Amino acid sequence: MSEQNADVVVLGAGIVGVSTAYAARQRGMSVVLIDRREPGSETSYGNAGIISSGSVSPLNNPSLWKSLPKYLGNRHAALRWNPLWAVRNAGWVARFLANSAASRFEPRATALHGLIGASAKLHREWIVKAGAGHRLRETGWLRAWRSDAVASAKQEQALLADYGIVSELLDRQAISALEPDIVPVYKVGLLHTETASVDSPGAVVKAYARMFEGAGGDVRQAEIKTIVPDGDRWRVALAGGAISARHVVVALGPWSADLLRPLGYRVPLAYERGYHREFKPNPARSLRRPIYDIDGGFIMTPMEQGIRVTSGVELTDRDAPSSFAQLDQVVPIARSVAEFGDAVGEAWRGSRPTLPDSLPMIGPAPRHAGLWLAFGNQHIGFTTGPATGASIAAMIGGVPPSYDVTPFAPGRYI
């Protein structure tokens, strides 16, 4: 592979990287998008496919302290943690918990609201333009409680209302009217009516990548070795050659910190590992929208290949051996609600990159001109990918983004 020149090289072809590449190409820049795998094949593939208008509350919110006792036993399906990892990463854990203080909630929720709103708008525009509009479902997202949790549901509804997000409080009968083919185990539900979903997030990312190529972008599948400053440009070394670019965007998700370390950046990145498995659906007993079983700690959602059941968070090393304990715990519970058959394919595992404040890094690296960082979108990466990428492209082009990116500045940590 001979060395070529580009205005922008984007490293990572998940939803964030593909979005960045397309948005930069829309602004007339020459763009090369590089990943070791095809677009949408890593973390962006294995998620619930939700474009969530209501995910304004970070995981480390003030209610986390009330939940900690049930997690300390390390048996809850919503969260498992590796004690050795926790000891080695005590600093990250301490900062994560410190951010759950009440005084730190509103600024982060406001920041996420701006990012999510801009992103949802782009998703709805791009998915049609990319020829994948048939994958979009405007059926909302149901958060459901088996317990009599009216107070919790109303509290969440009030929080959403503070940000202008519409939701509907449902009782058992209303849930059955909404999802007539599931077993009526839920007493309380909260329908996020402005949330959409897709039937294959990986396919949507691939459609966006094809849209980028159709606009004149270059998608390259190659192993990324290093990025090195080269005068007023950057040299991106690949397994089979190199590319010279004015700007480099690191959008490698959980692998971003590794590439930045030789440049002197120590990124406090942890990994919300998650699992999913898909099952043959029963066409006569359909699931009509994603359901988050809050007491059970899992999401089940209808996908192109069947019913996808996703597990909760596993905090451990990014490359630690898989542990399917959480998935094994929740699949029988999901079967008690929705009717589905045998598994389709193998169980999947991915790592969602998370910073201590649960906000991504979006913006310029503090000590290197032309280096841009776009990662750390944690468990809402599919939702927030388009606006993350669009804001990076805007800043490269010298244009203010459509929402306030100040809270996401990389300089807050590196």
Side-chain angles (χ1 to χ4, degrees):
M1 184 190 302
S2 59
E3 184 163 325
Q4 71 178 91
N5 295 320
D7 293 328
V8 182
V9 169
V10 180
L11 306 179
I15 182 62
V16 173
V18 169
S19 297
T20 305
Y22 177 63
R25 185 69 196 122
Q26 280 186 306
R27 293 183 176 277
M29 305 172 200
S30 60
V31 186
V32 182
L33 174 66
I34 306 172
D35 201 310
R36 63 182 180 181
R37 300 186 65 187
E38 293 182 358
S41 298
E42 294 279 8
T43 310
S44 294
Y45 171 82
N47 62 81
I50 298 170
I51 303 171
S52 176
S53 64
S55 293
V56 297
S57 180
L59 280 178
N60 48 347
N61 59 66
S63 68
L64 176 63
W65 292 102
K66 296 179 182 178
S67 301
L68 280 180
K70 69 181 180 183
Y71 297 144
L72 291 178
N74 219 4
R75 295 179 180 275
H76 201 281
L79 175 65
R80 296 290 178 91
W81 50 282
N82 180 339
L84 292 178
W85 174 90
V87 171
R88 289 194 303 269
N89 295 274
W92 186 93
V93 173
R95 282 193 278 184
F96 185 82
L97 293 174
N99 273 292
S100 66
S103 62
R104 301 188 184 186
F105 176 79
E106 195 277 333
R108 292 182 298 144
T110 299
L112 287 173
H113 181 51
L115 172 61
I116 289 168
S119 212
K121 182 179 179 181
L122 286 174
H123 260 305
R124 288 180 168 92
E125 173 189 329
W126 288 358
I127 200 168
V128 174
K129 191 174 182 180
H134 61 286
R135 298 192 179 279
L136 183 68
R137 303 173 299 211
E138 297 283 3
T139 54
W141 177 33
L142 179 62
R143 291 168 59 85
W145 289 262
R146 296 163 183 262
S147 56
D148 189 10
V150 174
S152 296
K154 285 185 175 180
Q155 184 178 15
E156 181 177 322
Q157 186 176 42
L159 170 65
L160 296 177
D162 286 343
Y163 292 92
I165 302 166
V166 178
S167 62
E168 295 179 10
L169 188 65
L170 308 176
D171 59 14
R172 192 192 299 270
Q173 288 72 32
I175 294 171
S176 292
L178 200 67
E179 289 285 349
D181 292 333
I182 67 171
V183 177
V185 298
Y186 300 118
K187 294 182 178 180
V188 180
L190 190 66
L191 180 66
H192 290 215
T193 56
E194 297 173 340
T195 285
S197 63
V198 301
D199 68 357
S200 176
V204 169
V205 176
K206 285 178 169 57
Y208 290 175
R210 289 192 298 271
M211 181 171 64
F212 163 66
E213 287 186 289
D218 182 4
V219 177
R220 186 78 56 81
Q221 192 170 336
E223 193 76 29
I224 302 160
K225 297 298 185 181
T226 60
I227 53 174
V228 181
D230 185 16
D232 61 350
R233 299 179 68 83
W234 286 86
R235 187 174 186 274
V236 181
L238 308 174
I243 300 177
S244 175
R246 292 173 53 232
H247 302 274
V248 172
V249 182
V250 177
L252 287 165
W255 298 278
S256 298
D258 295 347
L259 192 69
L260 293 169
R261 193 170 295 114
L263 295 172
Y265 295 108
R266 298 293 182 267
V267 182
L269 204 61
Y271 312 99
E272 294 180 40
R273 299 211 317 180
Y275 300 81
H276 84 236
R277 194 158 201 173
E278 292 184 347
F279 300 87
K280 294 179 182 178
N282 179 351
R285 306 284 292 178
S286 63
L287 186 66
R288 307 185 181 193
R289 58 185 49 75
I291 298 178
Y292 178 20
D293 188 312
I294 293 175
D295 298 306
F298 66 91
I299 296 173
M300 52 185 174
T301 182
M303 289 289 184
E304 183 179 40
Q305 301 301 321
I307 304 298
R308 178 177 291 185
V309 179
T310 72
S311 70
V313 171
E314 179 192 27
L315 290 176
T316 188
D317 296 322
R318 184 191 62 199
D319 300 322
S322 296
S323 169
F324 298 103
Q326 287 164 286
L327 200 56
D328 292 342
Q329 183 177 355
V330 301
V331 167
I333 305 173
R335 285 190 184 278
S336 73
V337 182
E339 190 172 319
F340 51 81
D342 295 336
V344 179
E346 299 296 322
W348 180 93
R349 186 197 86 205
S351 300
R352 295 159 293 200
T354 302
L355 291 152
D357 60 2
S358 291
L359 302 181
M361 284 190 178
I362 307 174
R367 297 186 298 279
H368 290 84
L371 178 61
W372 303 84
L373 310 184
F375 58 85
N377 297 64
Q378 31 105 5
H379 64 286
I380 55 172
F382 184 74
T383 292
T384 57
T388 298
S391 64
I392 291 288
M395 287 185 280
I396 290 174
V399 178
S402 64
Y403 61 96
D404 183 13
V405 296
T406 306
F408 309 108
R412 73 190 192 276
Y413 281 124
I414 57 176

